[in-house]
Amino acid sequence: MTKYIFVTGGVTSSLGKGIISASLAKLLQSRGYRVTIQKFDPYINIDPGTLNPYEHGECYVTEDGAETDLDLGHYERFLNTPTSKANNITTGRIYQNVINKEREGAFLGKTVQVVPHITDEIKRNFRILGESGDYDIVITELGGTVGDIESLPYIEAVRQFRWEIGSGNSLVIHLTLVPFLAAAGELKTKPTQHSVKMLLEYGIQPDILVCRTEHHLNADIRKKIALFCNVNINAVIESIDASTIYDVPLLMLKEQLDKTVLTKLKLPHKTEPVLDNWKDFLGRLKNPTADVRIALVGKYVELPDAYKSITEAFIHAGAAKECKVRVEYIPSESLTPENAIDKLKGMHGVLVAPGFGERGFEGKIQAIRYVRENNIPFFGICLGMQCAVVEFGRNVLGLENANSTEMNPETAHPVIGMMEDQKTITNKGGTMRLGAYACELKKGSKAATIYGKTSISERHRHRYEFNNEYLKQYETAGMLPSGINPENGLVEIVELKNHPFFVGSQFHPELKSTVANPHPLFINFVAASLAYARKK
């Protein structure tokens, strides 16, 4: 029978439930268990696809085209296994499913209520992955903080679910904060006690407490927390601040979180965790032999979480090259023809980030012109690739005011245009070109050399494409469409022939970069930036 672990949070948000969930899953996976993680978010949006990145960080896209929470990116990067739309559920989706059933008459005239109808739908979603037969353990992270009004139905659903499946088949891990009060010079356990008491009011006794802290928990603090929160002392787990999220699995191993979980779930300990590759990755990450500065030009740079997968892909690629990648965030709105050289001076590579809308578009164009003309390594992702096409059209092909129809629907030279099947769509949510699509790489191209093969699959999230009416002009002038979708002929990758590294991808390669498999495009971009730095 599949075992279920629920991870809740208390005291404050942003304590790192996603990282703790991913770290525990990594440890259990390294012991030979088949593990997956799902995230239940309490907001009423159907998915984060229509949310501003400042609201919720980046929108992570799965292989099957689901727009999901950025925590799913952590799950994939740690476990090296793909997630799906079943791994991320929101309150909006729960209510939408229940309301659709009500409209169909599925409730036989009953009054539809939070209990039992909403909680039943939540429990049904708890079970979906567990009943697939693919997993021994399902970890479910509940978004929000215990006590939030929107989290209540999830907590109640967990209480009911645990009662239904019986003892020994599930456990609750509660993540809390043990703050250090500088004035008193000591750690305080009271917030944790209150948080657990609130959970108890809702009928749930946590089995394990993971305590986020800036200072080590001594034996007395652990004993006090265990006593007042009614847990075993070995179930009080210290989660101290780490220099990198990739340290956390080893910190949790030291705290024996995985052993405690297996004991409580009555599961055999199998083998000891095999983490040699993970430790090797950390060794290279922490002992770089070189240093590169890469500019990330985007419109949401005030919130680094808006580009989480990109920055993590740089960490993976940097470790692969034993190189410290220093990402410098540059707001695209701040770039002008006059200041682009000053702002980008000293950079060894420039990545122009994805995004939507006109704000910052012209700044990205200026950045690309500078790196193209000065042979600085360039990598454009999605809108970044489209900007490269527009810049080349304007400044090399002489197509005056060439543009994307997203920015100027009336442009005389729409070198980037909306896909035909997108033109009739009015709803914004979940209607873009989403998920994994095939791509054929031209033999002898830089892209084919980088991937080491000619057939690839990558994830997408966009509405606008390269306009194939201009294809011949671009090829003749030196911008090669080196990756093509075999089904519809759409351009997936462009590259410049006579440039050390100038690659733009319509897809999002950062979404497939993991600790175990750093993405080849990022590895080669970092290598090109390193070569440029050494020449300087």
Side-chain angles (χ1 to χ4, degrees):
M1 180 181 175
T2 303
K3 305 280 187 172
Y4 294 86
I5 299 169
F6 296 95
V7 180
T8 60
V11 185
T12 178
S13 59
S14 303
L15 289 181
K17 291 192 297 293
I19 302 299
I20 290 295
S21 300
S23 299
L24 172 59
K26 183 70 201 170
L27 295 178
L28 296 172
Q29 184 192 57
S30 68
R31 283 179 177 272
Y33 285 99
R34 299 172 303 156
V35 190
T36 190
I37 319 174
Q38 52 187 357
K39 172 84 183 278
F40 281 67
D41 270 309
Y43 52 76
I44 298 175
N45 303 65
I46 302 296
D47 57 46
T50 54
L51 284 173
N52 185 315
Y54 285 135
E55 289 278 329
H56 209 68
E58 78 169 1
C59 175
Y60 188 81
V61 180
T62 59
E63 286 283 295
D64 61 354
E67 294 176 292
T68 67
D69 184 81
L70 63 78
D71 273 334
L72 269 72
H74 291 311
Y75 306 163
E76 290 200 12
R77 288 187 280 273
F78 276 57
L79 295 179
N80 199 36
T81 53
T83 53
S84 70
K85 63 183 175 187
N87 292 75
N88 191 201
I89 307 294
T90 66
T91 293
R93 195 175 293 284
I94 295 290
Y95 272 82
Q96 187 182 53
N97 291 347
V98 170
I99 289 165
N100 288 344
K101 284 181 189 171
E102 186 274 334
R103 292 290 83 188
E104 292 161 10
F107 299 121
L108 303 174
K110 294 258 187 222
T111 304
V112 180
Q113 296 175 288
V114 173
V115 181
H117 301 102
I118 297 298
T119 50
D120 282 353
E121 179 63 18
I122 293 170
K123 288 185 290 180
R124 186 183 73 80
N125 281 277
F126 285 165
R127 286 192 180 93
I128 287 173
L129 289 167
E131 290 175 348
S132 67
D134 296 332
Y135 304 106
D136 304 311
I137 300 167
V138 175
I139 299 175
T140 302
E141 178 194 343
L142 301 182
T145 308
V146 169
D148 293 349
I149 194 165
E150 59 262 37
S151 298
L152 288 176
Y154 292 100
I155 300 296
E156 171 59 16
V158 170
R159 186 193 69 76
Q160 292 179 19
F161 186 79
R162 298 191 74 198
W163 181 81
E164 289 168 10
I165 65 172
S167 61
N169 292 318
S170 72
L171 62 81
V172 170
I173 296 173
H174 190 51
L175 181 61
T176 73
L177 178 68
V178 179
F180 180 80
L181 292 191
E186 60 183 356
L187 291 163
K188 290 295 182 184
T189 66
K190 197 64 75 179
T192 294
Q193 293 178 47
H194 281 306
S195 187
V196 171
K197 280 191 170 61
M198 190 165 282
L199 254 186
L200 284 166
E201 284 177 23
Y202 301 141
I204 293 177
Q205 166 67 55
D207 302 280
I208 296 172
L209 296 176
V210 176
C211 304
R212 273 302 300 272
T213 174
E214 296 172 0
H215 300 266
H216 288 290
L217 305 179
N218 61 33
D220 288 342
I221 293 274
R222 289 182 193 246
K223 190 174 178 183
K224 186 176 181 182
I225 291 171
L227 175 66
F228 286 107
C229 297
N230 201 30
V231 297
N232 302 336
I233 194 160
N234 66 348
V236 178
I237 306 292
E238 172 190 281
S239 176
I240 200 157
D241 289 359
S243 59
T244 165
I245 59 171
Y246 300 108
D247 275 331
V248 179
L250 299 183
L251 293 173
M252 291 302 103
L253 178 67
K254 192 178 169 192
E255 286 287 302
Q256 301 192 338
L257 175 61
D258 53 329
K259 279 188 178 176
T260 306
V261 163
L262 291 173
T263 302
K264 288 183 179 292
L265 289 175
K266 301 183 175 64
L267 288 171
H269 288 200
K270 289 193 174 184
T271 58
E272 283 301 300
V274 180
L275 292 164
D276 297 350
N277 291 342
W278 194 272
K279 289 173 182 173
D280 176 53
F281 160 76
L282 271 174
R284 284 181 283 112
L285 178 66
K286 292 184 173 185
N287 300 287
T289 58
D291 209 283
V292 290
R293 294 175 70 204
I294 291 177
L296 192 157
V297 179
K299 63 190 280 193
Y300 306 113
V301 294
E302 289 86 353
L303 181 75
D305 269 4
Y307 303 110
K308 193 68 181 169
S309 291
I310 292 174
T311 52
E312 296 305 314
F314 275 132
I315 290 171
H316 308 153
K321 290 305 217 183
E322 295 186 35
C323 163
K324 170 76 176 172
V325 179
R326 300 188 187 280
V327 178
E328 312 255 345
Y329 295 95
I330 297 179
S332 48
E333 283 175 285
S334 70
L335 286 169
T336 65
E338 293 73 38
N339 71 12
I341 293 172
D342 285 338
K343 294 249 185 192
L344 297 173
K345 198 176 276 181
M347 297 298 167
H348 307 129
V350 174
L351 183 143
V352 174
F356 296 93
E358 199 175 351
R359 185 168 64 86
F361 182 76
E362 293 299 328
K364 291 178 177 179
I365 300 284
Q366 297 306 329
I368 293 165
R369 179 171 192 171
Y370 173 68
V371 296
R372 179 181 59 77
E373 292 178 347
N374 291 278
N375 285 332
I376 299 167
F378 163 78
F379 189 11
I381 298 177
C382 200
L383 183 63
M385 172 264 207
Q386 295 170 12
C387 289
V389 170
V390 170
E391 189 280 328
F392 195 84
R394 288 180 188 176
N395 300 317
V396 178
L397 298 179
L399 302 173
E400 197 177 340
N401 297 322
N403 215 327
S404 163
T405 55
E406 181 184 6
M407 312 309 160
N408 178 10
E410 307 303 320
T411 177
H413 294 290
V415 293
I416 300 290
M418 187 178 273
M419 299 162 60
E420 282 304 314
D421 60 356
Q422 288 284 326
K423 289 181 179 175
T424 55
I425 291 173
T426 53
N427 283 356
K428 292 280 186 274
T431 55
M432 285 184 272
R433 187 176 180 215
L434 292 165
Y437 286 87
C439 173
E440 289 296 323
L441 305 178
K442 291 191 175 169
K443 285 178 181 167
S445 66
K446 184 171 269 147
T449 306
I450 286 169
Y451 278 95
K453 54 187 175 183
T454 54
S455 293
I456 60 167
S457 170
E458 293 281 4
R459 298 183 199 175
H460 293 249
R461 183 175 184 246
H462 58 93
R463 295 183 199 280
Y464 293 84
E465 299 279 355
F466 187 101
N467 186 343
N468 282 350
E469 289 177 20
Y470 291 88
L471 204 54
K472 281 279 177 278
Q473 278 177 265
Y474 274 83
E475 271 193 279
T476 307
M479 183 173 268
L480 179 72
S482 55
I484 303 288
N485 181 287
E487 288 178 20
N488 52 29
L490 293 171
V491 174
E492 299 274 10
I493 304 178
V494 296
E495 59 185 64
L496 281 187
K497 287 179 184 172
N498 304 314
H499 194 285
F501 190 99
F502 191 103
V503 176
S505 70
Q506 183 69 80
F507 50 79
H508 290 257
E510 72 275 15
L511 300 177
K512 291 185 78 165
S513 184
T514 67
V515 170
N517 288 305
H519 198 284
L521 282 173
F522 277 88
I523 290 175
N524 280 269
F525 177 51
V526 168
S529 302
L530 200 51
Y532 180 83
R534 284 172 177 157
K535 269 196 317 189
K536 294 279 285 182

